[in-house]
Amino acid sequence: MTKDEIASLIHASTFADLGFLDEGRPSVRRVFCTWHKGIGGHLISTNTSSRHVKALLADGRACLYFANSETFEGVCLTGTAKVRFDRAFKALMWHPQDVMYYPKGVDDEDYCVLEFTADSACFYRFDGKGELSREEIEAWDAGADFADFSEKL
């Protein structure tokens, strides 16, 4: 897969699987993930009270896995997830319909954002597999800003 194809796979995905360590045990959650900064940067809105937020506050090591089961291709990004409570991140991702999950709006104490940054990537599909280093990801993402790809879905 080329970097363009990896980016297309990520940008076409509505969900990703978030892997994290929960009290030392590996755990996975499916998350809505449509905000991307190239290949290596991703934003996920979530509940502050969720178990994965508690775990990521204790240990930010994480992975994000994007896949298309119809074409049998996927990319696994490993890196770190920071829990963001700052209003700028929360306002960036806010959609009016989010009020059904966070009735107090952008300032709801149960609303936060995970900022995932990839250190490396492994990818595969029917015609082979490969890896990307931190340097390759950073070079690809240079100059990119976070953008919401949900409008393209």
Side-chain angles (χ1 to χ4, degrees):
M1 292 176 77
T2 67
K3 291 181 196 88
D4 279 329
E5 291 168 326
I6 292 168
S8 292
L9 171 65
I10 290 170
H11 298 165
S13 299
T14 305
F15 297 96
D17 295 314
L18 172 68
F20 58 97
L21 296 172
D22 186 5
E23 297 181 2
R25 294 182 315 256
S27 194
V28 176
R29 296 290 182 274
R30 169 99 1 140
V31 293
F32 185 69
C33 187
T34 61
W35 280 83
H36 312 292
K37 181 179 176 182
I39 293 172
H42 308 279
L43 298 177
I44 302 157
S45 62
T46 193
N47 296 81
T48 304
S49 60
S50 65
R51 194 170 183 150
H52 58 275
V53 167
K54 179 183 174 190
L56 289 167
L57 284 168
D59 185 341
R61 292 178 293 168
C63 66
L64 270 182
Y65 184 75
F66 296 91
N68 182 329
S69 58
E70 292 178 17
T71 58
F72 193 66
E73 58 188 355
V75 60
C76 182
L77 306 170
T78 57
T80 55
K82 286 185 174 182
V83 182
R84 300 290 192 175
F85 299 102
D86 23 339
R87 195 173 204 287
F89 277 96
K90 293 165 63 169
L92 175 67
M93 296 188 67
W94 185 260
H95 290 283
Q97 67 270 22
D98 291 343
V99 74
M100 74 181 183
Y101 302 107
Y102 311 107
K104 296 179 186 172
V106 173
D107 297 313
D108 195 306
E109 60 275 356
D110 198 35
Y111 174 50
C112 67
V113 173
L114 302 179
E115 180 184 17
F116 179 87
T117 304
D119 292 329
S120 63
C122 295
F123 56 89
Y124 71 89
R125 72 173 177 194
F126 63 88
D127 61 351
K129 58 185 178 177
E131 297 181 10
L132 294 175
S133 67
R134 175 193 307 236
E135 294 77 21
E136 290 172 297
I137 294 169
E138 288 174 351
W140 178 262
D141 293 353
D145 290 320
F146 280 110
D148 184 4
F149 285 83
S150 66
E151 301 301 320
K152 295 182 179 183
L153 301 175

